[in-house]
Amino acid sequence: MRCIFSRRAFNSSQSDAAQGAPFDASAWRAIVRVLRSPLAGSFGSILATPLHDLGSVLFPSPCRLCAGPLLRVHTAPVCDDCLARLIPQSMDVCTRCGETLGAESYFQTGPAECRTCRVVAPPFECAVAYGTYHDEMRRSLHLLKYECITSMAKPLGALLAQAMLSLRDAPPAMLVIAVPLFASKERSRGYNQSILLTDAALPVVRAQRPAWKLQAAHNKLLRTRETESQFGLAPHQRRENLKGAFAVAAKDAVRGKDVLLIDDIYTTGATARECSRVLLAAGASSVRVATLARAQMETFGFWRPSAPVQELKVH
């Protein structure tokens, strides 16, 4: 019976996903609340498996990334396999801005900065990101950002937390500020995705590093005017587009404070640079940047010998 219903659910879910059917998570959320309720108690783990099975049969839903069936009760409409593909970056990156070093890393040992940061250093101390903005990461962020699936903030926020925890030599206390949206845009969308990600990440960070004092202060930085979409703009056009777009609500709130700036994506760094410049001009002691994803340029890999190459003797 399980196989029959699951197969039917899978086939219908694929067609619904192809037609762009909206995800209704109300039934799944109800089951999740039962599993997490105090009434479940020690029986929660025992009830989990049958409730997962029952939920997938009674409320079949497709994964919004691969269109496969959701076999586990979760408020986010993405399967475990797709979530597992949201892997961290593995390439050598600039210790200042996080840009991949590419061929430069072959000729350098230890921490290194990219050519751009050596020529014009950014105003922030460093920028870190969890993963690269492509494939499942890009599509997952689109679900949160453009398709109003706010339940994606929790699993993605847990990954953002790992980027925040990777900050080296960070101060023991920082104000955490999400990059703001213009008021009319936030009203139209109904939320600021960077705030949702930050609020989901902070409990994870505090649990893993309790001595690190992080205080959310999203309302301290404002977006004072609506800007043109950054998509499709060249780097210099992005910088011009953002000039004068941000302001600090009250200088006393950031004066002498170390700030951790949070955004969903780091593309060219124009937003991070402008926000950092404004915060520092208002008296902030330092600014660090953490994002969930980083748009990286395409690079070629280089083979590094693991042992010295022996000289070939010709007789």
Side-chain angles (χ1 to χ4, degrees), residues 37-103:
S37 68
L39 294 175
S42 59
F43 295 102
S45 58
I46 300 174
L47 292 171
T49 299
L51 280 177
H52 284 312
D53 293 344
L54 184 62
S56 64
V57 171
L58 297 179
F59 310 105
S61 298
C63 170
R64 291 298 297 272
L65 298 185
C66 70
L70 291 176
L71 300 179
R72 189 172 67 89
V73 176
H74 197 284
T75 54
V78 176
C79 69
D80 291 341
D81 288 342
C82 287
L83 289 175
R85 295 189 187 100
L86 302 177
I87 58 175
Q89 298 182 101
S90 58
M91 70 283 287
D92 294 323
V93 298
C94 171
T95 56
R96 190 68 180 264
C97 75
E99 177 70 40
T100 180
L101 293 173

Side-chain angles (χ1 to χ4, degrees), residues 26 52 151 242 253 285:
S26 58
H52 284 312
S151 59
L242 292 172
S285 295

Side-chain angles (χ1 to χ4, degrees), residues 12 23 52 110 224 241 244:
S12 62
F23 174 75
H52 284 312
T224 56
N241 186 41

